[in-house]
């Protein structure tokens, strides 16, 4: 029976080619995801960590400034300490040849002959004016030993000569610093003369880290003391969790592609069994049992699945190699790790999905009676659609109930959002089950307008309507992929519109100054320089923190926004729910969401636990409508800045004086921050474009990942039409005999493909709206009908789908046009 299955595959290899391609693409997505995430996770976990350090003591909230130099000697004298290593680290940015900050090249530390460093080129820095660069910073900037580079530290530029490169061993969540100076130079540049930021303790053999932690805390009260190896273990766990989250996200996209592929495979085998009715009936007539027929068809599916899985593994390896090289910037430092889980997953997906998709067709094949070999009609009679329609109505009703609850309830959070998305998924499933009836109604409604376009279009609509199961299976594959694409488009557009509306509502300024380097801020001294530029009316500098806040008996971590009350009204606008914006100077404001969650009102008091230690009792003097810029507790800067570890502003909005020329003022602002190459001055529209750019990148990556699912759906269109042409040989011959030209026959097949693609696209847009509207309701706490629908993009997508569908039908259309008239009429 195995040989018989192989021969059957060989006899129908052309018909199964696109099915093999669909299986290959789905398996490739799974294999590529597994290989890529395994390789990146291995690279992350292979980050060299310091294993010789037992305890690290650093300046914590209870320590002002850094640790005194004498701390090293005090800690070195503790029992169980072999020796103590001083560390001086801080913020700093490497500047490129263009004077701009080099992306990803941040962080400054002191070089020491310890386990932290391994010199890979040149030598360590020994005096002022010398610097060593990390390997990644050297590659990114293009700087070599002997070059002079710019460094941005403490708001001012410095020059240094590169004398060496190094590899760095981290501790815990530490990010490898891009630059290393000698200790005295590091202290001077960071403004920490005679001070340290941390001390690493190496324990004597047999000393437990816990003992050193308690002893160090006694010597340096208020300092942050951590078990170094526990911090390393926590960092490894976090990296593993991040890699797992990435793998799950990519596998989610792969699952969509595989799900789309199941419709293509199921439809293909259904048509093949129908076309082979006489062949299978003859096998039954010569003695083959139902079970043997069923296993033969499943064996054919298994072979197709295994071949597709093997091919998909090879393609997935190529995908993973390209992605890994892109990630490590072509250095080749991250190898592709080939493991059995990835290989077995691709084969299991290929074979398992193909066999499961073909199971229903195998059962129908087993029910073919031997007498069917005597019939001239070779198509299988399909089951009544009533059961499917009833099941679809039940599933859709359940989906409406669940989705309606999530849409109408006053509670809006992540759990309700997940319930709503589950309801949307049930609704989409219900539509798939009801699709034969819906497509019949849709094509029926289109019959009259389509009839006016000519006989070819009318015939194409009739053919698509004649076999609703086949049309449904083909259109559903496109519907699923386009549902997710539409949901992402609606969610992304809603997010972009929300950001745009909140910025335009809350910002009265015309210009914006902000640092581009990660973690960089604008110190208050520079904010004052911006305010002193001629033509500037006011500057609203926003700072952020995330402290613990006690509201009644509840302590919770809440976002805290810092602003100068004098800038409200001129550079910044507040949408007040209660109270007046002028009352911020006498207390604090809370967002409407926070007030609603904790039943806060004007006049009540909250307690803020400041990052630098101590607590402050603040009176609520107003409630405002939060936004993407301002959220949580809004505190006057004169109250908050003395208690914050980070006192700089993340962004500064600059309002112009009446009659001031924006170009002139902008030039003045750029001169005021000329010593800060990481600070840029933008107009408000440019600032908005920059903020929305990140959303566009995420959407672009998501669309690219979903493009594979759409491609598989289009393969299904081409495959269905190709098999349909073979199945309808006699019918096409009769149409030719009745006067239909070859060109008209090609057009008929292409229009049929376009109709199927458009129907799948329209159903997908409906399902996508359900997903996107619920996503934006959960993320933005808005109503369903507040969702922003990019109508132009969606209409363009449907039109493009029709065009691509017609292109996918080019080969079946040519094959149909080449049908020999007499041979077709004579065909059984």
């Amino acid at each position: 029976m195995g040989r018989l299955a192989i021969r059957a595959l060989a006899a129908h290899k052309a018909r199964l080619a696109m099915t093999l391609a669909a299986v290959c693409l789905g398996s490739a997505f799974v294999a590529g995801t597994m290989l890529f995430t395994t390789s990146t996770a291995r690279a992350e976990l292979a980050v060299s960590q310091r294993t010789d350090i037992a305890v690290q003591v650093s300046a914590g909230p209870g320590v002002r400034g850094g640790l005194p130099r004498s701390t090293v000697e005090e800690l070195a004298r503790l029992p169980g300490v072999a020796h103590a290593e001083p560390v001086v680290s801080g913020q700093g940015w490497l500047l490129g040849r263009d004077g701009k900050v080099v992306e990803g090249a941040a962080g400054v530390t002191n070089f020491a002959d310890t386990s932290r460093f391994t010199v890979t080129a040149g030598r360590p820095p020994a005096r002022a004016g010398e610097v060593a660069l990390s390997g990644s910073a050297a590659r990114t900037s293009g700087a070599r030993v002997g070059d002079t580079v710019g460094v941005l530290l403490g708001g001012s530029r410095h020059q240094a000569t590169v004398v060496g490169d190094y590899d760095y061993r981290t501790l815990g969540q530490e990010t490898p610093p891009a630059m290393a100076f000698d200790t005295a130079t590091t202290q001077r540049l960071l403004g920490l003369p005679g001070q340290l930021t941390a001390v690493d303790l190496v324990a004597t053999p047999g000393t437990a880290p816990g003992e050193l932690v308690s002893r160090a805390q006694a010597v340096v009260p208020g300092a942050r003391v951590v078990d170094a190896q526990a911090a390393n273990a926590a960092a490894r766990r976090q990296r593993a969790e991040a890699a797992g989250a990435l793998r799950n996200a990519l596998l989610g996209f792969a699952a969509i592609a595989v799900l789309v592929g199941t419709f293509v495979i199921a439809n293909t085998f259904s048509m093949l069994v129908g076309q082979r009715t006489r062949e299978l009936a003859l096998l039954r007539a010569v003695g083959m049992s139902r079970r043997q027929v069923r296993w033969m068809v499943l064996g054919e599916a298994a072979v197709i699945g295994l071949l597709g899985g093997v091919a998909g593994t090879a393609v997935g390896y190529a995908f993973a190699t390209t992605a890994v090289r892109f990630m490590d910037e072509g250095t080749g430092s991250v190898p592709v790790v080939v493991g059995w889980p990835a290989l077995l997953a691709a084969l299991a997906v290929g074979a398992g999905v193909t066999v499961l998709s073909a199971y229903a067709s195998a059962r129908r094949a087993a029910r073919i009676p031997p007498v069917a070999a005597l019939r001239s009609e070779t198509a299988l009679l399909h089951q009544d659609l009533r059961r499917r329609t009833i099941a679809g109505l039940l599933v859709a009703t359940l989906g409406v109930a669940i989705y309606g609850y999530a849409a109408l309830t006053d509670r809006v959070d992540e759990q309700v959002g997940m319930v709503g998305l589950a309801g949307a998924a049930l609704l989409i499933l219900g539509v798939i089950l009801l699709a034969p009836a819906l497509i019949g109604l849709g094509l029926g409604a289109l019959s009259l307008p389509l009839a006016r376009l000519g006989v070819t279009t009318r015939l194409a609509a009739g053919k698509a309507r004649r076999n609703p199961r086949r049309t449904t299976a083909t259109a559903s594959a496109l519907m699923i992929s386009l549902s997710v694409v539409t949901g992402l488009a609606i969610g992304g557009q809603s997010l972009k519109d929300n950001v745009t509306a909140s910025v335009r509502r809350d910002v009265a300024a015309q210009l914006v100054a902000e640092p581009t380097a990660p973690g960089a801020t604008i110190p208050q001294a520079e904010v004052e320089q911006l305010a002193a530029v001629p033509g500037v009316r006011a500057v609203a500098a926003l700072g952020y923190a995330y402290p613990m806040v006690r509201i009644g008996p509840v302590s919770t971590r809440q976002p805290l926004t810092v602003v100068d009350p004098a800038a409200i009204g001129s550079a910044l606008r507040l949408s007040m729910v209660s109270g007046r914006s002028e009352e911020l100077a006498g207390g604090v404001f809370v967002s409407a969401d926070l007030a609603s969650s904790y039943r806060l009102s004007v006049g009540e008091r909250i307690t803020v636990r400041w990052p630098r230690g101590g607590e402050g009792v603040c009176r609520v003097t107003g409630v405002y409508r939060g936004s993407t810029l301002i959220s949580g507790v809004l505190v006057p800067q004169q109250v908050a800045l003395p208690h914050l570890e980070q006192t700089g502003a993340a962004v500064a909005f600059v309002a112009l004086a009446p009659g001031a020329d924006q170009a002139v003022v902008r030039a003045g602002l750029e001169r005021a921050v000329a010593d800060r190459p990481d600070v840029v001055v933008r107009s408000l529209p440019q600032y908005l474009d920059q903020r929305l750019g990140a959303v566009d990148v995420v959407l672009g990556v998501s669309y690219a990942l979903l493009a594979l699912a759409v491609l598989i759906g289009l393969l299904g269109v081409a495959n269905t039409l190709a098999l349909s042409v073979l199945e309808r040989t006699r019918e096409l011959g009769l149409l030719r005999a009745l006067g239909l030209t070859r060109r008209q026959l090609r057009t008929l097949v292409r229009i049929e493909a376009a109709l199927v693609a458009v129907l799948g696209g329209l159903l997908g847009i409906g399902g996508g709206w359900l997903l996107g509207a619920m996503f934006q309701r959960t993320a933005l706490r808005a109503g369903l009908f507040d969702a922003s629908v990019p109508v132009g993009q969606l209409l363009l997508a449907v039109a493009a789908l029709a065009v691509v569908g017609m292109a996918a039908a080019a080969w079946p259309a040519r094959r149909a046009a080449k049908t020999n008239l007499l041979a077709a009429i004579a065909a059984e």
Side-chain angles (χ1 to χ4, degrees):
M1 194 169 65
R3 288 196 299 268
L4 190 60
I6 297 297
R7 289 176 181 175
L9 284 175
H12 301 95
K13 53 183 178 295
R15 305 182 187 188
L16 291 166
M18 291 187 184
T19 303
L20 182 63
V23 176
C24 173
L25 289 175
S27 301
F29 206 150
V30 173
T33 295
M34 297 286 287
L35 292 171
F36 173 71
T37 53
T38 300
S39 302
T40 53
R42 186 76 58 87
E44 287 290 330
L45 294 175
V47 171
S48 184
Q49 293 183 317
R50 279 180 279 168
T51 57
D52 57 331
I53 304 301
V55 172
Q56 185 180 71
V57 182
S58 60
V63 178
R64 296 296 180 92
L67 298 170
R69 175 70 193 188
S70 58
T71 306
V72 180
E73 288 76 20
E74 294 174 4
L75 293 172
R77 289 194 295 267
L78 287 176
V81 175
H83 61 273
E85 302 171 357
V87 178
V88 186
S89 299
Q91 287 187 333
W93 295 271
L94 180 65
L95 303 179
R97 293 185 176 92
D98 58 355
K100 303 296 183 181
V101 172
V102 176
E103 185 176 357
V108 173
T109 190
N110 67 311
F111 193 96
D113 187 15
T114 66
S115 62
R116 284 198 296 156
F117 295 92
T118 300
V119 177
T120 57
R123 61 175 176 81
R127 60 183 66 86
E130 294 182 348
V131 65
L133 302 180
S134 68
S136 62
R139 286 192 299 270
T140 306
S141 64
R144 300 179 180 180
V145 174
D147 291 347
T148 299
V149 295
V151 180
L152 181 64
L153 285 157
S156 58
R157 300 190 193 197
H158 304 270
Q159 298 289 324
T161 301
V162 179
V163 296
D165 297 343
Y166 61 84
D167 287 335
Y168 190 85
R169 299 177 69 197
T170 61
L171 185 66
Q173 299 292 345
E174 182 183 16
T175 300
M179 296 161 284
F181 299 87
D182 64 276
T183 300
T185 302
T186 307
Q187 291 172 325
R188 176 176 57 81
L189 293 176
L190 294 177
L192 297 171
Q195 294 180 311
L196 313 170
T197 56
V199 179
D200 294 337
L201 303 182
V202 178
T204 56
T207 302
E211 299 176 12
L212 284 186
V213 168
S214 57
R215 293 169 188 169
Q217 287 173 335
V219 172
V220 192
R224 182 184 291 112
V225 182
V226 298
D227 182 330
Q229 299 314 310
N232 283 341
R236 288 193 293 271
R237 284 195 301 271
Q238 185 171 357
R239 293 189 186 109
E241 290 171 0
L246 175 62
R247 181 183 63 249
N248 293 338
L250 291 176
L251 285 177
F253 286 101
I256 295 171
V258 171
L259 180 61
V260 171
T262 60
F263 285 90
V264 176
I265 298 165
N267 201 29
T268 300
F269 274 91
S270 177
M271 295 179 70
L272 282 176
V273 167
Q275 293 171 12
R276 296 165 59 192
T277 300
R278 292 193 67 192
E279 172 192 332
L280 297 173
L282 284 171
L283 291 175
R284 290 293 316 281
V286 297
M288 185 174 282
S289 66
R290 289 187 174 187
R291 181 180 180 184
Q292 287 175 316
V293 171
R294 183 170 63 250
W295 279 106
M296 184 188 75
V297 175
L298 291 178
E300 295 174 11
V303 172
I304 288 290
L306 289 173
L307 291 176
V310 172
T313 301
V315 176
Y317 179 83
F319 286 165
T321 301
T322 303
V324 166
R325 288 190 63 82
F326 177 79
M327 184 199 70
D328 72 351
E329 301 174 346
T331 63
S333 58
V334 180
V336 177
V337 179
V338 179
W340 283 111
L343 302 179
L344 294 178
L347 293 176
V349 167
V353 168
T354 308
V355 170
L356 289 176
S357 300
Y359 184 72
S361 298
R363 290 189 60 187
R364 284 201 301 273
R367 290 198 296 266
I368 296 175
V371 72
L374 303 176
R375 297 172 184 163
S376 60
E377 178 61 53
T378 60
L380 278 175
L381 295 176
H382 290 291
Q383 294 177 349
D384 196 341
L385 292 174
R386 282 179 297 181
R387 289 184 179 180
R388 177 170 177 163
T389 302
I390 292 172
L393 287 172
L394 292 175
V395 172
T397 301
L398 180 61
V400 168
I402 295 175
Y403 194 85
Y405 162 76
L408 298 177
T409 182
D410 292 333
R411 177 188 169 192
V412 182
D413 55 24
E414 286 74 12
Q415 292 180 347
V416 173
M418 293 301 296
V419 170
L421 292 176
L426 285 174
L427 270 170
I428 293 173
L429 178 59
V431 170
I432 291 174
L433 294 173
L434 292 170
L438 295 176
I439 285 177
L441 292 173
L443 289 174
L446 291 174
S447 295
L448 184 59
L450 289 175
R452 297 176 180 176
L453 298 177
V455 64
T456 305
T457 306
R458 186 169 68 251
L459 285 171
K463 290 182 181 300
R465 189 181 180 188
R466 188 181 308 159
N467 195 328
R469 282 181 177 272
R470 180 186 302 161
T471 304
T472 294
T474 307
S476 295
L478 291 172
M479 173 190 169
I480 292 173
S481 53
L482 203 64
S483 291
V484 182
V485 171
T486 302
L488 286 171
I490 291 175
Q493 188 64 43
S494 299
L495 181 59
K496 292 168 67 175
D497 288 353
N498 178 265
V499 171
T500 301
S502 64
V503 169
R504 290 177 176 170
R505 182 190 69 203
D506 295 343
V507 178
Q510 294 80 24
L511 296 172
V512 185
E514 63 175 344
T516 57
T521 60
I522 306 175
Q524 287 301 308
E526 294 182 10
V527 172
E528 294 172 2
Q529 291 176 9
L530 295 174
V533 172
V536 173
R537 180 185 178 189
V539 177
L542 299 182
Y544 301 100
Y546 206 62
M548 293 296 296
V549 178
R550 188 165 67 248
I551 306 172
V554 179
S555 291
T556 176
R557 196 171 291 278
Q558 292 292 334
L560 183 144
T561 307
V562 181
V563 69
D564 182 3
I568 295 177
S570 53
L572 205 64
R573 289 187 289 257
L574 289 180
S575 180
M576 300 301 297
V577 176
S578 61
R580 296 180 304 156
S581 59
E582 296 83 4
E583 296 175 341
L584 177 60
V588 299
F589 289 172
V590 295
S591 66
D593 288 342
L594 184 60
S596 174
S597 299
Y598 294 94
R599 301 174 184 262
L600 278 171
S601 59
V602 173
E604 297 191 38
R605 298 181 182 275
I606 61 175
T607 302
V608 179
R609 186 178 301 167
W610 300 111
R612 295 187 67 174
E615 295 182 344
V617 179
C618 305
R619 179 173 174 268
V620 177
T621 57
V623 178
Y624 69 96
R625 186 173 290 109
S627 68
T628 56
L629 288 174
I630 310 167
S631 61
V633 183
L634 185 62
V635 184
Q637 67 179 26
Q638 60 268 26
V639 175
L641 292 184
H643 307 289
L644 299 180
E645 291 182 334
Q646 181 59 266
T647 59
V651 61
F653 296 99
V654 182
L656 306 185
D661 184 275
Q662 181 170 318
V664 173
V665 175
R666 181 171 181 171
L669 295 174
E670 290 172 345
R671 286 193 297 272
V673 294
D675 290 336
R676 288 289 304 274
D678 62 319
V679 175
V680 296
V681 179
R682 299 185 175 99
S683 64
L684 192 61
Q686 290 172 333
Y687 170 74
L688 264 174
D689 291 342
Q690 186 270 335
R691 289 201 66 180
L692 298 177
V695 179
D696 290 331
V697 169
V698 173
L699 290 176
V701 172
S702 301
Y703 293 155
L705 293 173
L706 288 169
L708 187 60
V710 177
L711 176 61
I712 293 174
L714 292 171
L715 282 176
V717 173
N719 199 31
T720 299
L721 290 173
L723 293 174
S724 177
V725 166
L726 294 173
E727 186 179 276
R728 290 151 45 191
T729 301
R730 188 173 187 183
E731 175 189 334
L732 296 175
L734 287 172
L735 288 173
R736 290 276 288 114
L738 292 172
L740 209 64
T741 66
R742 292 180 184 272
R743 181 177 181 182
Q744 287 177 315
L745 202 57
R746 286 196 300 268
T747 303
L748 184 149
V749 176
R750 288 170 178 163
I751 291 176
E752 186 178 350
L755 286 173
V756 172
V758 168
L759 284 171
L762 293 175
L763 291 174
I765 287 176
W769 184 87
L770 295 173
L771 295 172
M774 184 55 64
F775 169 78
Q776 69 88 33
R777 171 171 167 77
T778 304
L780 304 177
R781 306 296 193 267
L784 284 180
F785 294 100
D786 294 331
S788 300
V789 180
V791 178
Q793 294 180 23
L794 295 181
L795 291 178
L796 183 64
V798 173
L801 208 56
V803 173
V804 176
M806 294 176 70
W811 177 69
R814 286 197 301 270
R815 187 183 184 97
K818 293 178 181 178
T819 302
N820 184 283
L821 192 150
L822 295 177
I825 294 175
E828 293 185 353

